[in-house]
Amino acid sequence: MIDVVIVNWNSGLQLMQCLRSVLGCGGNQVARVIVVDNNSADGSAAEVDGIPGVEVFFLEANVGFGAACNKGAQLCSAPYLLFLNPDTVVEPDSFSVALNFMNGSENESVGVCGIQLVDENAMVARTCARYPNLLRFFSSATGIEKIRAFRWSGVIMHDWDHQSTRQVDHVIGAFYLIRRNVFEDLKGFDERFFVYLEDLDLSYRVHDAGWDIWYLANARAFHAGGGTSRQIKAKRLFYSLRSRLLYGFKYFPRWQAWALVGVTVVFEPISRVVWCVARGDVAGIRQTGAAYRMLWRGMGRIVRGEGRFEP
């Protein structure tokens, strides 16, 4: 059985669409559906409160994705936890394929699995990732990974078509099925990651604890991607950059973490502005500037590993 945890923040109609798919496809495989609302202002959580089979918990502040997931997980008791983004729509066999795989006797060492995600253009999204190192972050930060010959060099597995089932380092947190005992043993998500990379950090710890992670290509779900953070592009970039640096200072040798700071604050803004100029994206240049101003204001806290703060 699966307990489904959905963290909501201003998801609008996407939340209702997601829940309809879960309730329609879950059948007897889903024990509880829990929506943790991160103090939304759009009324989306209130709209679904009272739907039979859905439990909604309203938080008085936006505590971040990982912290909200942890709060939802505390209410769960099923053997499996599924963290599902509100901008997803599952298909009839999304749960059964994943659950049957995890319950297979040959897969007792698998701690986490994800399924194939398709985007708004019905294209299979490149969602799996490799564990970051300095060179992979450098490739992503400078845009080198966008060059066809170097697609293998970044964190996201752009060089693989995601059309086959295989073991991977990480599956995206939009559909993240994990054994509850594994999640609890690892004490859940690291709440210092307000949003972004908290799932990658958890996957790294899952692997470090001796569990495998698999991507399943024979089940799929729709994922809009970008989620509700599209509404706040500058803050989205800031949170992404901050999470990257937090990850570096958590796992890399100190000199590499500082090298990552150099890459992030010297090379990346240049590459981003050049890319915006090439596209005539004036708003993108302003958003990049705003994100880096927030990053600079919070740099001391990031270096100290404090993580969570409002820019």
Side-chain angles (χ1 to χ4, degrees):
M1 295 288 283
I2 301 172
D3 283 330
V4 180
V5 176
I6 301 171
V7 173
N8 180 62
W9 182 76
N10 294 335
S11 299
L13 293 175
Q14 291 180 326
L15 177 62
M16 181 68 81
Q17 292 166 351
C18 175
L19 287 170
R20 283 175 177 161
S21 72
V22 170
L23 296 172
C25 303
N28 58 5
Q29 301 157 105
V30 174
R32 301 179 72 180
V33 180
I34 296 170
V35 174
V36 182
D37 185 68
N38 255 336
N39 198 29
S40 294
D42 68 347
S44 53
E47 189 73 20
V48 303
D49 192 19
I51 293 179
V54 177
E55 303 168 60
V56 183
F57 295 86
F58 294 91
L59 301 179
E60 295 182 353
N62 185 352
V63 299
F65 179 77
C69 283
N70 287 345
K71 291 183 184 301
Q74 290 170 4
L75 304 169
C76 296
S77 56
Y80 294 99
L81 283 167
L82 174 64
F83 297 102
L84 187 68
N85 278 11
D87 60 344
T88 58
V89 175
V90 296
E91 295 188 355
D93 61 354
S94 297
F95 296 141
S96 59
V97 170
L99 198 56
N100 289 339
F101 177 84
M102 295 293 277
N103 282 332
S105 58
E106 69 279 18
N107 296 321
E108 291 179 347
S109 64
V110 179
V112 172
C113 79
I115 64 174
Q116 189 178 80
L117 301 176
V118 296
D119 61 21
E120 292 167 318
N121 298 313
M123 301 295 291
V124 175
R126 290 352 189 221
T127 52
C128 296
R130 303 177 178 88
Y131 298 128
N133 57 32
L134 182 58
L135 290 178
R136 286 173 180 162
F137 270 147
F138 179 81
S139 178
S140 299
T142 57
I144 291 175
E145 66 176 6
K146 295 178 181 177
I147 301 172
R148 180 177 293 274
F150 294 97
R151 284 181 177 174
W152 54 268
S153 63
V155 175
I156 303 297
M157 300 175 73
H158 292 294
D159 53 320
W160 171 47
D161 63 9
H162 287 57
Q163 296 286 4
S164 57
T165 294
R166 61 180 283 187
Q167 186 175 347
V168 296
D169 287 349
H170 169 65
V171 293
I172 188 174
F175 186 107
Y176 197 91
L177 183 66
I178 183 169
R179 296 182 193 273
R180 188 166 60 87
N181 63 311
V182 175
F183 186 81
E184 291 178 348
D185 287 347
L186 297 173
K187 303 188 185 308
F189 289 100
D190 183 340
E191 298 184 5
R192 291 177 299 170
F193 295 88
F194 187 82
V195 66
Y196 298 126
L197 298 192
E198 66 284 305
D199 52 347
L200 187 54
D201 167 77
L202 179 58
S203 287
Y204 186 84
R205 289 184 285 128
V206 167
H207 168 76
D208 203 39
W211 295 91
D212 299 328
I213 297 174
W214 278 72
Y215 166 86
L216 310 181
N218 55 337
R220 63 165 48 183
F222 166 76
H223 178 220
T228 50
S229 62
R230 285 178 175 175
Q231 306 163 31
I232 49 167
K233 292 183 177 179
K235 275 194 172 182
R236 180 174 68 176
L237 175 57
F238 158 72
Y239 285 126
S240 173
L241 298 172
R242 189 190 69 161
S243 289
R244 181 198 301 162
L245 296 180
L246 280 172
Y247 191 98
F249 278 98
K250 182 174 181 178
Y251 291 112
F252 295 176
R254 202 69 173 174
W255 71 268
Q256 288 192 13
W258 280 109
L260 182 61
V261 171
V263 169
T264 301
V265 303
V266 176
F267 289 99
E268 183 162 358
I270 296 172
S271 68
R272 284 185 176 278
V273 169
V274 169
W275 183 247
C276 288
V277 170
R279 294 184 301 172
D281 184 2
V282 177
I285 296 173
R286 287 199 297 268
Q287 289 155 2
T288 299
Y292 272 90
R293 286 193 292 275
M294 288 186 272
L295 188 70
W296 275 115
R297 288 200 297 270
M299 189 62 75
R301 296 184 178 92
I302 295 170
V303 171
R304 291 192 296 271
E306 296 177 6
R308 295 177 61 190
F309 63 94
E310 278 296 311

